[in-house]
Amino acid sequence: GRSGGAVINAITKSGTNSYHGDLYEFLRNSVLNARNFFQTTGAKSPFKQNQWGATIGGPIKKDKLFWFGDYEGTSIRNYSTSFATVPSAAEITGDFTGDPTIYDPNTYDATTNARESFADEYGNGNKLPTGRIDSIAQAFMNLYPAANIPGKTHNNYTITYGDPYDLEQGDFRGDWDPSPKNQGFFRWSQADFTSDRGQIFPGLAQGQSGSDQTETIMGASLGETHTFSPTVVNEFRLGFNWYGTAQEIPPYGIHFPPADLTIPGIPLNAKTAGLAQFSPAGYRGLGMSGYDPTYLDTIERQVSDALNISRGKQSIAMGFEMRWSEFNIFQVANPDGLLQFTGQFTQNPVDESNPNFTGVEGDSLADALLGLPLSATYDTQVEVQNRQHVPSAFFEDDWRVRPTLTLNLGLRYDYFSPIVGKHNVQANFNYATGQLVVAAGQCPAGASYCVNGNSRGLVSVDHGNFAPRIGFAKTIHNTVISAGGGIFWSGQEIKTAGPLQLAYNLPFYYQPSFTSDGVTPIITLSGGFPPASPSQAINPGVTSLGGTPTNTGNSPNLATPSYIQYNLSIQQALPGRMSLELSYAGSKGTHLQSVLDYNQDQVPGPGDVQSRRPWPFYSSFTSMVDRGNSKYYSAQVKLEKQESHGLYFLSSFTWGKAYDDQAEICCAGPPPNSWNVPAEEGLADFNETLHWVLSYDYLLPIGSGQRFAGGVKPAVNQVIGGWHFGGIYSLGSGFPFSTSLNEDPSNTGTIGSVRADQILPDGNLPRAQRSINNWFNTNAFADPALYTFGNSGRNTLIGPDVNDLDFSLRKTFPIHESQNIEFRGEFFNALNHPSFAQPDPTLTDGAGAFGVVTSTAGANREIQVALKFNF
């Protein structure tokens, strides 16, 4: 549910009239750990993790003024193993001997829809003539490292690289109790974090991986509790939180690329300069990843007040909250350019009516060496500076109707203001006029993009966000029946990264994008991009909010995302201090923010995509609309035993289904076909149908007063007595995923993840037939026919399960009446069961890669030891 999901209350310790605190150290080391599942040869990857810290608190003035502080440091030195597909030494030079036949794009015959092969044209085999190879392309290809796994053409390169992580964090709290009726506190918290994620390829090659990251978090809160009477208490709070980060910085720093690797026409910024993304389909790309680097900071300010009144059978609470949010981000998708090669220029075009059709796919590396990207783009750069305020108020009444029946009744109101830019750097698309309109403050009188006095937020928001709550609890002997339901409002996402912001529009920003039809090149590497000018933008992209082609108001209404949540539970007391709870819980999300492309061509077909778009002057739209839906329902069973005879356990099982018609707005682009959203309904990305967790703690019956060795001497008991054995065992079904392609056979200009055709009823294999080399039935999928969308559904494949056992041994050794030392030995993934990541879902990656698992989602067995001195 993202921001519509949970509320978290953090509680910090306070000082007292005596000094209390602790010192601790937690240690993990690869010497104690199991080898990574995929690291089958060589020395075990080094890994070290240290967490150390201390807390202390005490009095400043007895009974009146107290202080408390803590510090923790974390240092992790980890190493990861990754696999990638790289070209052979021959392919880097243009020699494709033994590969599928490559065809000369210059020989295309529109009459026969065919090309002549390089072998037939030049008589030198399946090779590119040296004179045809683009010099910049060759410089890029020379960056690829050599394959280091013999005998493989896919995942033929592996590397183990470091991933250092350092975190320092601490808190300070002061408490003041001037009188029995007044208590106040102040808290300051800060954390500083740095990491350096290693890169797959060395140097500038990078492999669209690896980055340095720094983060700083600061927060403070101030509170006062006033007791008017034993039945009337008021709580007042002030708070702020600041978060700042510079992330995805290449390990070699921000530098302009050398001349032989510079694509003409891409304007470079000293804050983001780097190598363009060079991405041949089926191979690991070169350069930085998309949206790198990123500079971001957020500020939250909050004031709240709650009045609590107890009157007989009723406990009433009422209050308000005001929150001011700021979100600043400097991030664009492709600051240094993105060049995608698919092999379509060197294939014999697919045409079933052509008697010369051979079905050859071409080669993305051949396209790349010829300097012929199917699509090419870069981003001009803009800083987002969002501002929003959210006032809220609530009333709640817990009414104990009778000793066995309690009702919970409440009403909350939330208002989410339109998001505005600090300097009004925003524009929205007006579907009625087919024009971009800019925010007030950027709108000179009489300008064509000013409509009826544009507002700052460019949308109209809901004012009726009332949220009723109702619940009850009924006790019948040893049984409690309870139920509840309510509406929860979420609001527009203020902190979503680009391009999901209205600042990413002309005249402030645009993304020159050029997509070819695979026949006629539009951009070449050495030719580069034409000059950039917002006034002369060629097919700029558009980010729109609220409006749709059928809702064309000048100031579109933006519905507030909402969730209806409900549950029913029956809890039964059992002998042995146990309880059993059976529950049904569900939710329904409506008007969730989703992303579509309302400028995608509506009908697949041949020819230039751009001319067939609904608004041909523009390229793809990032259309943020409030049309998403979700639903979740679950049956839950919980068996809990309170501590007795040294044993405590909690067993929870959930069977549930989560459905939606698009992933969260933060984390996914539009669907393959934005004009057929109903086809996208399916399992949510986070759906886990079955999940069982057992947690337990058992005081071993050994030592003084226990079943075994109960009469031992105190000195012996210090060694053998008082040991606790605990653990957590988790079992869960896998998460769903979809197939994908690195090309667009529909030729509709889709920016969504294109899916394969499904030619067998079910792509999932029986559990006994799944392996890391063939997780699902790859024969169930095929390339879609030209000018069609793949017919496989969204999230129809299920990934690897979760099977994890953690356990611990711990004991407290008393030293003095108020001092002790606690020892802990903790075993994570104790059975060393590999938790696999999702398999490769991309059909165009080819046999040997498609359907193959190449990494784990969690660590193999790790052992942690800890000492803690409490005083």
Side-chain angles (χ1 to χ4, degrees):
R2 288 176 60 74
S3 56
V7 173
I8 298 173
N9 290 322
I11 300 174
T12 52
K13 286 185 177 181
S14 304
T16 64
N17 278 327
S18 59
Y19 280 94
H20 292 280
D22 55 53
L23 297 168
Y24 58 88
E25 163 79 14
F26 288 76
L27 171 67
R28 303 187 200 185
N29 193 291
S30 55
V31 173
L32 303 174
N33 298 342
R35 182 188 299 271
N36 182 279
F37 180 86
F38 288 97
Q39 191 188 13
T40 57
T41 60
K44 187 165 42 177
S45 295
F47 172 81
K48 295 180 180 180
Q49 175 175 310
N50 292 80
Q51 282 181 276
W52 64 94
T55 71
I56 187 170
I60 299 175
K61 184 177 181 181
K62 187 177 180 180
D63 295 330
K64 297 293 183 181
L65 192 59
F66 311 94
W67 71 280
F68 178 85
D70 64 73
Y71 167 83
E72 180 174 284
T74 302
S75 173
I76 299 176
R77 295 299 179 263
N78 192 17
Y79 289 80
S80 301
T81 299
S82 292
F83 294 83
T85 300
V86 299
S88 67
E91 289 169 335
I92 287 175
T93 65
D95 184 351
F96 295 92
T97 301
D99 293 342
T101 304
I102 55 174
Y103 292 80
D104 187 349
N106 293 346
T107 63
Y108 177 73
D109 187 328
T111 303
T112 62
N113 195 29
R115 292 183 174 118
E116 185 177 353
S117 71
F118 279 102
D120 292 339
E121 183 180 5
Y122 292 94
N124 64 343
N126 203 35
K127 301 178 182 179
L128 295 175
T130 303
R132 294 285 299 278
I133 294 177
D134 185 282
S135 60
I136 294 179
Q138 187 66 76
F140 269 93
M141 293 287 285
N142 290 341
L143 294 175
Y144 272 109
N148 57 15
I149 302 180
K152 297 185 70 174
T153 57
H154 292 85
N155 293 321
N156 55 358
Y157 175 85
T158 185
I159 185 172
T160 299
Y161 49 84
D163 187 6
Y165 170 108
D166 292 286
L167 173 66
E168 293 184 284
Q169 57 188 346
D171 306 276
F172 173 82
R173 173 169 171 145
D175 287 87
W176 183 39
D177 297 343
S179 72
K181 290 189 174 183
N182 287 286
Q183 295 86 40
F185 79 91
F186 170 77
R187 173 191 57 81
W188 175 271
S189 301
Q190 183 166 337
D192 295 282
F193 159 78
T194 61
S195 74
D196 180 7
R197 289 179 294 193
Q199 56 189 57
I200 291 178
F201 295 158
L204 281 174
Q206 196 166 338
Q208 298 179 7
S209 65
S211 65
D212 293 345
Q213 181 173 348
T214 61
E215 291 183 1
T216 297
I217 304 170
M218 294 182 290
S221 61
L222 180 69
E224 192 264 350
T225 300
H226 183 81
T227 303
F228 291 97
S229 72
T231 60
V232 181
V233 178
N234 190 78
E235 296 176 290
F236 177 77
R237 298 285 186 270
L238 283 174
F240 97 95
N241 190 76
W242 181 86
Y243 167 81
T245 180
Q247 57 190 31
E248 313 303 335
I249 308 297
Y252 51 81
I254 301 294
H255 303 289
F256 293 108
D260 63 339
L261 291 168
T262 299
I263 310 299
I266 298 179
L268 299 176
N269 185 311
K271 292 181 69 174
T272 60
L275 195 68
Q277 296 177 73
F278 185 89
S279 300
Y283 296 85
R284 187 80 188 193
L286 300 172
M288 292 192 291
S289 301
Y291 297 101
D292 294 352
T294 291
Y295 306 93
L296 178 152
D297 67 85
T298 70
I299 303 174
E300 293 286 346
R301 300 179 181 90
Q302 181 183 21
V303 57
S304 66
D305 189 86
L307 181 66
N308 301 277
I309 304 172
S310 295
R311 287 287 186 270
K313 296 182 178 181
Q314 292 178 282
S315 298
I316 297 172
M318 64 185 75
F320 73 89
E321 176 187 79
M322 186 69 181
R323 192 174 76 245
W324 296 267
S325 299
E326 297 185 15
F327 176 69
N328 307 297
I329 185 170
F330 185 79
Q331 177 194 61
V332 293
N334 309 293
D336 307 308
L338 169 63
L339 307 153
Q340 295 178 300
F341 309 90
T342 64
Q344 288 180 242
F345 280 106
T346 54
Q347 72 176 9
N348 207 19
V350 179
D351 186 351
E352 300 288 0
S353 64
N354 176 13
N356 297 319
F357 167 65
T358 61
V360 172
E361 293 296 328
D363 196 295
S364 63
L365 295 175
D367 281 21
L369 283 167
L370 292 171
L372 300 177
L374 184 74
S375 62
T377 186
Y378 69 89
D379 296 63
T380 60
Q381 301 186 23
V382 67
E383 183 174 4
V384 173
Q385 296 177 304
N386 285 346
R387 304 293 184 264
Q388 185 185 44
H389 62 274
V390 182
S392 306
F394 76 93
F395 175 87
E396 181 181 354
D397 184 3
D398 292 339
W399 178 22
R400 194 175 180 86
V401 180
R402 53 178 62 95
T404 60
L405 177 63
T406 300
L407 293 180
N408 314 105
L409 305 171
L411 181 66
R412 182 180 176 91
Y413 176 80
D414 296 287
Y415 171 75
F416 299 89
S417 75
I419 294 173
V420 300
K422 179 180 180 181
H423 300 295
N424 301 307
V425 178
Q426 292 196 140
N428 203 359
F429 191 75
N430 186 303
Y431 285 90
T433 63
Q435 287 186 311
L436 284 162
V437 295
V438 301
Q442 290 280 348
C443 192
S448 61
Y449 43 77
C450 300
V451 181
N452 297 333
N454 302 344
S455 66
R456 292 188 68 194
L458 297 171
V459 293
S460 299
V461 297
D462 281 349
H463 291 75
N465 304 328
F466 291 96
R469 316 287 168 83
I470 185 170
F472 76 87
K474 172 68 175 176
T475 302
I476 305 173
H477 301 297
N478 292 326
T479 303
V480 177
I481 302 173
S482 59
I487 298 175
F488 299 80
W489 301 96
S490 180
Q492 180 188 348
E493 292 280 359
I494 185 175
K495 297 179 181 179
T496 303
L500 302 172
Q501 302 286 354
L502 293 183
Y504 291 96
N505 275 320
L506 286 172
F508 315 110
Y509 162 90
Y510 75 105
Q511 185 183 57
S513 299
F514 304 87
T515 301
S516 171
D517 58 3
V519 175
T520 305
I522 298 179
I523 291 291
T524 65
L525 261 63
S526 290
F529 292 84
S533 171
S535 63
Q536 300 174 345
I538 301 173
N539 309 133
V542 166
T543 297
S544 70
L545 175 63
T548 70
T550 57
N551 175 18
T552 55
N554 288 332
S555 184
N557 293 321
L558 192 65
T560 307
S562 64
Y563 303 85
I564 299 174
Q565 300 183 17
Y566 49 88
N567 64 80
L568 171 66
S569 295
I570 301 174
Q571 186 175 9
Q572 176 66 49
L574 300 175
R577 302 195 69 191
M578 293 193 297
S579 63
L580 175 67
E581 185 173 351
L582 306 177
S583 303
Y584 175 83
S587 69
K588 175 67 178 70
T590 307
H591 296 303
L592 307 182
Q593 281 195 281
S594 304
V595 177
L596 299 175
D597 176 7
Y598 281 137
N599 208 28
Q600 181 183 354
D601 179 22
Q602 299 186 38
V603 181
D608 176 43
V609 171
Q610 196 58 43
S611 63
R612 307 199 319 270
R613 294 184 184 274
W615 288 275
F617 175 75
Y618 300 101
S619 63
S620 301
F621 281 20
T622 300
S623 309
M624 295 183 289
V625 291
D626 46 20
R627 56 140 313 280
N629 295 279
S630 70
K631 56 186 176 182
Y632 171 75
Y633 49 86
S634 66
Q636 304 172 13
V637 181
K638 182 170 73 173
L639 178 64
E640 183 173 14
K641 174 179 170 52
Q642 298 298 321
E643 194 277 330
S644 65
H645 305 291
L647 176 65
Y648 164 84
F649 70 79
L650 172 64
S651 175
S652 299
F653 173 78
T654 300
W655 176 92
K657 289 283 188 177
Y659 296 94
D660 56 25
D661 50 21
Q662 279 189 260
E664 297 142 306
I665 191 172
C666 74
C667 312
N673 185 0
S674 287
W675 302 104
N676 187 17
V677 179
E680 296 302 299
E681 183 172 355
L683 293 174
D685 292 349
F686 51 83
N687 177 77
E688 189 179 24
T689 303
L690 303 174
H691 194 85
W692 175 58
V693 178
L694 171 66
S695 56
Y696 57 90
D697 185 82
Y698 182 49
L699 174 62
L700 298 179
I702 303 173
S704 179
Q706 299 295 324
R707 183 183 307 172
F708 303 103
V712 298
K713 295 181 179 180
V716 177
N717 188 64
Q718 281 276 50
V719 177
I720 67 172
W723 285 93
H724 285 256
F725 176 72
I728 302 174
Y729 187 37
S730 301
L731 287 174
S733 53
F735 295 98
F737 64 98
S738 310
T739 60
S740 62
L741 304 173
N742 281 325
E743 57 190 31
D744 174 21
S746 71
N747 197 40
T748 59
T750 179
I751 55 175
S753 180
V754 181
R755 294 195 282 271
D757 261 354
Q758 186 162 331
I759 57 177
L760 295 177
D762 187 3
N764 291 290
L765 289 171
R767 185 176 298 274
Q769 297 179 24
R770 299 174 193 168
S771 72
I772 60 171
N773 295 315
N774 191 37
W775 188 262
F776 56 87
N777 187 358
T778 57
N779 294 322
F781 302 97
D783 283 319
L786 189 62
Y787 310 133
T788 65
F789 292 103
N791 64 12
S792 61
R794 172 174 166 263
N795 283 347
T796 59
L797 296 173
I798 304 299
D801 298 339
V802 174
N803 185 343
D804 184 78
L805 171 64
D806 304 331
F807 70 80
S808 68
L809 282 171
R810 63 183 176 89
K811 176 178 169 57
T812 299
F813 297 88
I815 299 175
H816 187 267
E817 181 179 333
S818 61
Q819 298 176 4
N820 62 70
I821 292 178
E822 180 183 355
F823 168 79
R824 300 178 66 92
E826 299 173 328
F827 301 77
F828 302 97
N829 191 8
L831 299 181
N832 201 29
H833 188 283
S835 295
F836 294 119
Q838 301 285 45
D840 185 335
T842 306
L843 176 66
T844 46
D845 284 351
F850 183 49
V852 175
V853 177
T854 59
S855 63
T856 55
N860 284 72
R861 182 176 55 245
E862 292 184 350
I863 299 175
Q864 177 170 272
V865 293
L867 280 177
K868 190 173 185 179
F869 171 59
N870 300 292
F871 62 91

